CSV table of all heavy atoms in Angstrom, one decimal:
chain,number,residue,atom,x,y,z
A,228,ARG,N,30.8,72.6,134.9
A,228,ARG,CA,30.0,73.2,133.8
A,228,ARG,C,28.5,73.5,134.3
A,228,ARG,O,27.8,74.3,133.6
A,228,ARG,CB,30.0,72.3,132.6
A,228,ARG,CG,31.3,72.1,131.9
A,228,ARG,CD,31.3,71.1,130.8
A,228,ARG,NE,30.9,69.8,131.3
A,228,ARG,CZ,30.7,68.7,130.6
A,228,ARG,NH1,30.7,68.9,129.2
A,228,ARG,NH2,30.4,67.6,131.1
A,229,GLN,N,28.1,72.9,135.4
A,229,GLN,CA,26.7,73.1,135.9
A,229,GLN,C,26.7,74.1,136.9
A,229,GLN,O,25.6,74.3,137.5
A,229,GLN,CB,26.2,71.7,136.4
A,229,GLN,CG,26.1,70.6,135.3
A,229,GLN,CD,25.6,69.3,135.9
A,229,GLN,OE1,26.1,68.8,136.9
A,229,GLN,NE2,24.5,68.8,135.3
A,230,PHE,N,27.8,74.8,137.2
A,230,PHE,CA,27.8,75.9,138.2
A,230,PHE,C,28.4,77.2,137.6
A,230,PHE,O,29.2,77.1,136.6
A,230,PHE,CB,28.6,75.4,139.4
A,230,PHE,CG,28.0,74.2,140.1
A,230,PHE,CD1,28.3,72.9,139.7
A,230,PHE,CD2,27.1,74.4,141.2
A,230,PHE,CE1,27.8,71.8,140.4
A,230,PHE,CE2,26.6,73.3,141.8
A,230,PHE,CZ,26.9,72.0,141.4
A,231,LYS,N,28.1,78.3,138.3
A,231,LYS,CA,28.6,79.6,137.9
A,231,LYS,C,29.8,79.9,138.8
A,231,LYS,O,29.9,79.4,139.9
A,231,LYS,CB,27.5,80.6,138.0
A,231,LYS,CG,26.3,80.4,137.1
A,231,LYS,CD,25.3,81.5,137.3
A,231,LYS,CE,24.1,81.4,136.3
A,231,LYS,NZ,23.1,82.4,136.6
A,232,MET,N,30.6,80.8,138.3
A,232,MET,CA,31.7,81.4,139.1
A,232,MET,C,31.1,82.3,140.2
A,232,MET,O,30.1,83.0,139.9
A,232,MET,CB,32.7,82.2,138.3
A,232,MET,CG,33.6,81.3,137.4
A,232,MET,SD,34.9,80.6,138.4
A,232,MET,CE,36.0,80.0,137.1
A,233,LYS,N,31.6,82.2,141.4
A,233,LYS,CA,31.1,83.0,142.5
A,233,LYS,C,31.6,84.4,142.3
A,233,LYS,O,32.8,84.7,142.3
A,233,LYS,CB,31.5,82.5,143.8
A,233,LYS,CG,30.7,83.0,145.0
A,233,LYS,CD,31.0,82.2,146.2
A,233,LYS,CE,30.2,82.7,147.4
A,233,LYS,NZ,28.8,82.4,147.3
A,234,GLU,N,30.7,85.4,142.1
A,234,GLU,CA,31.1,86.8,141.8
A,234,GLU,C,31.7,87.5,143.0
A,234,GLU,O,32.7,88.2,142.9
A,234,GLU,CB,29.9,87.6,141.2
A,234,GLU,CG,29.4,87.0,139.8
A,234,GLU,CD,28.3,87.8,139.3
A,234,GLU,OE1,27.8,88.8,140.0
A,234,GLU,OE2,27.8,87.4,138.2
A,235,ASP,N,31.1,87.3,144.1
A,235,ASP,CA,31.5,87.9,145.4
A,235,ASP,C,31.8,86.8,146.4
A,235,ASP,O,30.9,86.1,146.8
A,235,ASP,CB,30.5,88.9,145.9
A,235,ASP,CG,30.9,89.6,147.2
A,235,ASP,OD1,32.1,89.4,147.6
A,235,ASP,OD2,30.1,90.3,147.7
A,236,GLU,N,33.1,86.7,146.8
A,236,GLU,CA,33.4,85.6,147.7
A,236,GLU,C,32.8,85.7,149.1
A,236,GLU,O,32.7,84.7,149.8
A,236,GLU,CB,34.9,85.5,147.9
A,236,GLU,CG,35.6,86.7,148.5
A,236,GLU,CD,37.0,86.6,148.7
A,236,GLU,OE1,37.6,85.7,148.1
A,236,GLU,OE2,37.6,87.4,149.5
A,237,ASN,N,32.3,86.9,149.4
A,237,ASN,CA,31.7,87.1,150.7
A,237,ASN,C,30.1,87.0,150.7
A,237,ASN,O,29.5,87.1,151.7
A,237,ASN,CB,32.0,88.5,151.2
A,237,ASN,CG,33.5,88.7,151.5
A,237,ASN,OD1,34.1,87.7,152.1
A,237,ASN,ND2,34.1,89.8,151.1
A,238,SER,N,29.6,86.7,149.5
A,238,SER,CA,28.1,86.6,149.4
A,238,SER,C,27.7,85.2,149.9
A,238,SER,O,28.5,84.3,149.9
A,238,SER,CB,27.7,86.8,147.9
A,238,SER,OG,28.3,85.8,147.1
A,239,ASP,N,26.4,85.1,150.2
A,239,ASP,CA,25.9,83.8,150.7
A,239,ASP,C,25.9,82.8,149.6
A,239,ASP,O,25.6,83.1,148.5
A,239,ASP,CB,24.5,84.0,151.3
A,239,ASP,CG,24.5,84.9,152.5
A,239,ASP,OD1,25.5,84.9,153.2
A,239,ASP,OD2,23.4,85.5,152.8
A,240,PRO,N,26.2,81.5,149.9
A,240,PRO,CA,26.2,80.5,148.9
A,240,PRO,C,24.7,80.2,148.4
A,240,PRO,O,23.8,80.4,149.2
A,240,PRO,CB,26.7,79.3,149.6
A,240,PRO,CG,26.5,79.5,151.1
A,240,PRO,CD,26.6,81.0,151.3
A,241,ASN,N,24.6,79.9,147.1
A,241,ASN,CA,23.3,79.6,146.6
A,241,ASN,C,23.4,78.4,145.7
A,241,ASN,O,24.6,77.9,145.4
A,241,ASN,CB,22.7,80.8,145.8
A,241,ASN,CG,23.6,81.2,144.6
A,241,ASN,OD1,23.7,80.5,143.7
A,241,ASN,ND2,24.1,82.4,144.8
A,242,GLU,N,22.3,77.8,145.2
A,242,GLU,CA,22.3,76.6,144.4
A,242,GLU,C,23.0,76.7,143.1
A,242,GLU,O,23.3,75.7,142.4
A,242,GLU,CB,20.9,76.1,144.2
A,242,GLU,CG,20.0,77.0,143.4
A,242,GLU,CD,19.2,78.0,144.2
A,242,GLU,OE1,19.7,78.4,145.3
A,242,GLU,OE2,18.2,78.4,143.8
A,243,HIS,N,23.3,77.9,142.6
A,243,HIS,CA,23.9,78.1,141.3
A,243,HIS,C,25.4,78.2,141.3
A,243,HIS,O,26.1,77.9,140.3
A,243,HIS,CB,23.4,79.4,140.7
A,243,HIS,CG,21.9,79.5,140.5
A,243,HIS,ND1,21.2,78.6,139.8
A,243,HIS,CD2,21.0,80.3,141.1
A,243,HIS,CE1,19.9,78.8,139.8
A,243,HIS,NE2,19.7,79.9,140.7
Side-chain angles (χ1 to χ4, degrees):
R228 295 172 297 174
Q229 296 179 309
F230 295 88
K231 297 179 180 178
M232 285 285 192
K233 199 172 182 64
E234 297 180 359
D235 182 3
E236 64 177 14
N237 296 317
S238 63
D239 293 334
N241 60 68
E242 64 268 27
H243 303 297

